[in-house]
Amino acid sequence: MKTLKFFVVILATAFLASCALNPFNRWRTTETGIEYRFHENVRDSRAPEVGNLLSLQLVYRDAKDTVLMDTRMMGMPFILEFIESQYPGDIYEALGMMTVGDSASFKIDATQFFTATAGAPEVPEFIEAGSKLTFDIKLVKCIHPRRISSRA
């Protein structure tokens, strides 16, 4: 029985150590301030190009971990046209770091997201000043718009 307990303790310790050493568990920061962490990184897949329509599984939440949007609850992916970054550290810069099949989490400045990207006149009052939104994204597909129109 002691041998079994010892084996379980060793196995659990090895598992926890491997999690701590896994580079995907660490948050990193770009020069423009995006905090990110990849969960899956395909690397040899297709990267988004300006003008592509991106099919995304997307969850984003505020600093209090309140879910603001979850495409899984909607039952359909979020479709977004990939454009040039509008400012350093925006969501488009984050999406440009991904390839098809990747999943990652990004922390983006909440004020800039709501006012510059979403076009809101002001930040919603439930968002704390200076806080970040966390986006959990899976890039499912990059769709070239000409391929869509040629099928019609």
Side-chain angles (χ1 to χ4, degrees), residues 3-66:
T3 305
L4 180 60
K5 286 182 184 179
F6 178 74
F7 178 72
V8 170
V9 169
I10 293 297
L11 189 60
T13 302
F15 175 74
L16 292 173
S18 70
C19 289
L21 296 174
N22 184 343
F24 291 130
N25 287 339
R26 284 193 5 231
W27 284 96
R28 299 171 188 260
T29 305
T30 66
E31 291 180 9
T32 58
I34 298 173
E35 294 176 53
Y36 69 96
R37 148 172 95 186
F38 277 83
H39 309 289
E40 288 181 71
N41 194 326
V42 177
R43 294 188 188 185
D44 61 348
S45 188
R46 183 173 167 206
E49 298 174 11
V50 171
N52 286 161
L53 297 176
L54 306 183
S55 175
L56 309 169
Q57 290 177 357
L58 171 70
V59 177
Y60 76 90
R61 55 194 187 282
D62 65 12
K64 295 177 184 171
D65 222 23
T66 302

Side-chain angles (χ1 to χ4, degrees), residues 67-150:
V67 174
L68 303 176
M69 179 179 186
D70 185 344
T71 59
R72 296 170 302 181
M73 299 302 220
M74 297 165 51
M76 57 191 292
F78 186 75
I79 305 296
L80 176 72
E81 181 180 1
F82 185 65
I83 62 173
E84 293 282 342
S85 289
Q86 299 170 320
Y87 56 88
D90 73 353
I91 192 67
Y92 296 103
E93 181 183 334
L95 290 168
M97 296 168 62
M98 301 181 77
T99 61
V100 173
D102 287 353
S103 65
S105 295
F106 300 96
K107 293 184 181 183
I108 306 286
D109 180 88
T111 300
Q112 288 185 317
F113 175 78
F114 281 109
T115 58
T117 303
E122 58 188 39
V123 178
E125 59 186 52
F126 60 87
I127 300 295
E128 295 176 20
S131 68
K132 294 192 175 199
L133 301 174
T134 301
F135 291 81
D136 298 319
I137 301 172
K138 168 97 176 171
L139 179 52
V140 179
K141 289 185 201 173
C142 287
I143 306 163
H144 195 285
R146 286 189 213 130
R147 292 185 188 147
I148 294 171
S149 62
S150 66

